[in-house]
Amino acid sequence: MKFKTFNPPVRTLMGPGPTDIHPRVLSAMARPTIGHLDPAFLSMMDEIKAMLRYAFQTKNVLTIPISAPATAGMETCVVNLVEPGDKVIVCVNGVFGLRMKENIERVGGLPILVEDRWGEVVDPDKLEDTIKKHRDARLVTLVQAETSTGVLSDAKTLVEVAHRYDCLTIVDAVTSFGGSPLKVDEWGIDAIFTCSQKCLSCTPGLSPVSLNDRAVEAIKKRRIKIQSWFLDLNLLMGYWGSKTRSYHHTAPINPLYGLHESLVMLHEEGLEKSWARHWHHHHALRSGLEAMGLSFLVKAEARLPQVNVIQVPPGVDEAILRRRLLEEYNLEVGAGLGALAGKVIRIGLMGYGANMKNVMYCLEALEAVLFEMRAPIQTGVAMNAAQSSSIQN
Ligand code: PLP
């Protein structure tokens, strides 16, 4: 068999991630590889840490990217902070809350679930009631932006509730980071993780994490050794810390150039402006989709601007709809996950992709395919609605 160079098709990525990678990120990644202990590389690592602190809005010393996707960021927080027998309150309103539960079980922790319906926010009162019943719990976990349902929960209030009962907090900010307001120090978040491939428009495979002094203290007081060698933050800080810079693993050098460039771009734009841009384009897309007659899974006040979850109109096969968008328009949108499979599609507007061109292209393609599939939609109004929303907001 003869193998040839792989040339991927050129798509517009409007699923739940990855998003379209910014050309500046791709060209940064094509720069010459240098050694991972080269002084030039070490000083670039320092800049990454400084820019991540800005993006997380924190002064946490322990702010580094894990060399693996965001699931490893989740695992880093869990494996460092949870010990066998620890009770952990886990807020679940979608797929990623359940992934957290699974992680906790695997390190011998005892997850206590606070369950909310998929498509609804995590309810702070339910969280408080659950903590009151389990006063021996020492940790609360929550997903700020549940990508599986398109819901943005009130992380600030949930963290406040957890702290009232002296629990540490782990926050999943994979889809909100860089796209929706997130203030790690002001909100008192103890441990947080995110990804590179969504609002940063970088390639997948890196997971920034940040832990405050309370979380670091808790790690120091552990009774047993951290089960994972690779994700042990004490060891990782030997490489990423500011004092010693010794070999831990061979860092993904070129992907880190990409992360650096994406953070430079976030700096250039400004964090608040990036949050506003995501909201603005979500609003335009939403106006177009609703004018077409499509409905969101989530009520307006709980919607996550980065992931728009739309009910599939009656009589439309969701898999065929997505396949046609991909084959005929090179447009990727996401499928429903878990209980929502087949019932919804997820339209991402993140990072570089959160722009008017993508909003209009998506509306145009969706309208054309749905019309041909004989879906009960209004035609000829969506793009005007998006345009006027964009002018007004
Ligand atoms: N948490 C949330 C909220 C996510 O949306 C995702 C992925 O989309 C993850 C965790 C896991 O991220 P990764 O696929 O990079 O491991």
Side-chain angles (χ1 to χ4, degrees):
M1 191 168 167
K2 194 164 179 286
F3 295 106
K4 290 192 298 201
T5 304
F6 175 63
N7 280 307
V10 179
R11 309 279 199 212
T12 299
L13 299 183
M14 294 186 72
T19 52
D20 287 336
I21 310 301
H22 198 287
R24 274 176 63 181
V25 171
L26 288 176
S27 65
M29 288 173 72
R31 289 180 194 140
T33 304
I34 56 176
H36 65 101
L37 289 169
D38 186 308
F41 190 71
L42 296 181
S43 62
M44 189 206 67
M45 288 165 76
D46 288 338
E47 289 188 7
I48 288 180
K49 288 190 291 181
M51 291 190 286
L52 282 177
R53 287 191 192 106
Y54 166 70
F56 276 124
Q57 294 284 283
T58 185
K59 293 196 168 60
N60 289 342
V61 175
L62 208 175
T63 302
I64 60 170
I66 301 295
S67 303
T71 305
M74 181 187 288
E75 210 155 326
T76 301
C77 294
V78 169
V79 84
N80 281 271
L81 288 170
V82 181
E83 293 196 70
D86 283 352
K87 257 193 195 177
V88 182
I89 312 276
V90 185
C91 302
V92 178
N93 61 341
V95 166
F96 293 102
L98 286 176
R99 185 171 295 189
M100 187 76 90
K101 166 185 174 272
E102 177 73 22
N103 267 275
I104 289 158
E105 283 169 350
R106 281 171 188 243
V107 295
L110 307 172
I112 311 289
L113 302 195
V114 180
E115 290 188 87
D116 281 287
R117 284 165 57 118
W118 288 32
E120 291 180 9
V121 295
V122 176
D123 179 350
D125 295 334
K126 262 197 204 170
L127 171 62
E128 181 150 20
D129 290 346
T130 311
I131 307 182
K132 278 184 184 158
K133 287 191 202 124
H134 298 277
R135 293 303 303 271
D136 50 343
R138 43 181 299 277
L139 199 59
V140 169
T141 75
L142 60 109
V143 181
Q144 185 191 14
E146 194 28 278
T147 326
S148 61
T149 59
V151 165
L152 184 66
S153 287
D154 180 355
K156 177 173 187 269
T157 303
L158 295 166
V159 169
E160 260 167 36
V161 172
H163 284 173
R164 224 174 280 149
Y165 298 89
D166 211 23
C167 288
L168 288 175
T169 48
I170 299 178
V171 175
D172 176 335
V174 168
T175 301
S176 43
F177 181 73
S180 282
L182 170 65
K183 299 181 177 181
V184 168
D185 285 359
E186 197 182 308
W187 299 354
I189 295 169
D190 301 289
I192 189 160
F193 62 92
T194 185
C195 73
S196 44
Q197 75 269 21
K198 298 193 198 253
C199 297
L200 289 185
S201 291
C202 182
T203 48
L206 292 168
S207 178
V209 299
S210 184
L211 281 82
N212 69 11
D213 290 346
R214 276 181 82 199
V216 172
E217 265 320 293
I219 297 173
K220 280 194 195 137
K221 288 191 191 137
R222 284 180 62 97
R223 303 180 298 275
I224 68 154
K225 216 170 174 176
I226 292 162
Q227 293 97 319
S228 163
W229 184 89
F230 184 62
L231 300 177
D232 180 336
L233 285 167
N234 300 303
L235 303 179
L236 273 167
M237 283 309 273
Y239 179 46
W240 277 96
S242 45
K243 293 190 193 102
T244 52
R245 303 300 287 263
S246 52
Y247 169 68
H248 175 268
H249 65 282
T250 310
I253 294 155
N254 294 52
L256 285 169
Y257 297 166
L259 179 64
H260 182 275
E261 189 65 15
S262 67
L263 290 165
V264 168
M265 285 187 302
L266 184 64
H267 256 248
E268 286 170 0
E269 179 176 19
L271 196 53
E272 279 83 3
K273 285 208 175 121
S274 175
W275 297 341
R277 176 170 53 80
H278 282 82
W279 189 87
H280 176 90
H281 292 103
H282 154 72
H283 214 270
L285 180 69
R286 164 198 161 168
S287 305
L289 293 169
E290 288 179 340
M292 217 190 282
L294 297 172
S295 333
F296 275 73
L297 174 76
V298 178
K299 59 181 183 197
E301 58 278 18
R303 277 179 210 157
L304 170 66
Q306 287 79 36
V307 181
N308 300 272
V309 181
I310 307 300
Q311 322 252 23
V312 176
V316 170
D317 181 321
E318 173 270 349
I320 296 178
L321 169 63
R322 279 186 299 106
R323 201 189 63 222
R324 287 192 60 176
L325 289 171
L326 192 68
E327 286 175 358
E328 295 166 29
Y329 290 86
N330 274 310
L331 175 65
E332 181 184 275
V333 300
L337 288 185
L340 296 173
K343 298 183 184 146
V344 298
I345 55 167
R346 294 179 298 152
I347 306 176
L349 266 183
M350 287 182 264
Y352 169 53
N355 62 50
M356 241 7 232
K357 178 170 142 269
N358 278 12
V359 168
M360 292 308 208
Y361 187 57
C362 176
L363 290 172
E364 189 187 350
L366 203 55
E367 180 173 312
V369 175
L370 283 174
F371 178 70
E372 284 183 22
M373 291 177 86
R374 299 181 196 286
I377 55 157
Q378 285 280 332
T379 52
V381 287
M383 294 178 64
N384 270 348
Q387 192 92 61
S388 18
S389 149
S390 177
I391 294 163
Q392 281 159 24
N393 291 290

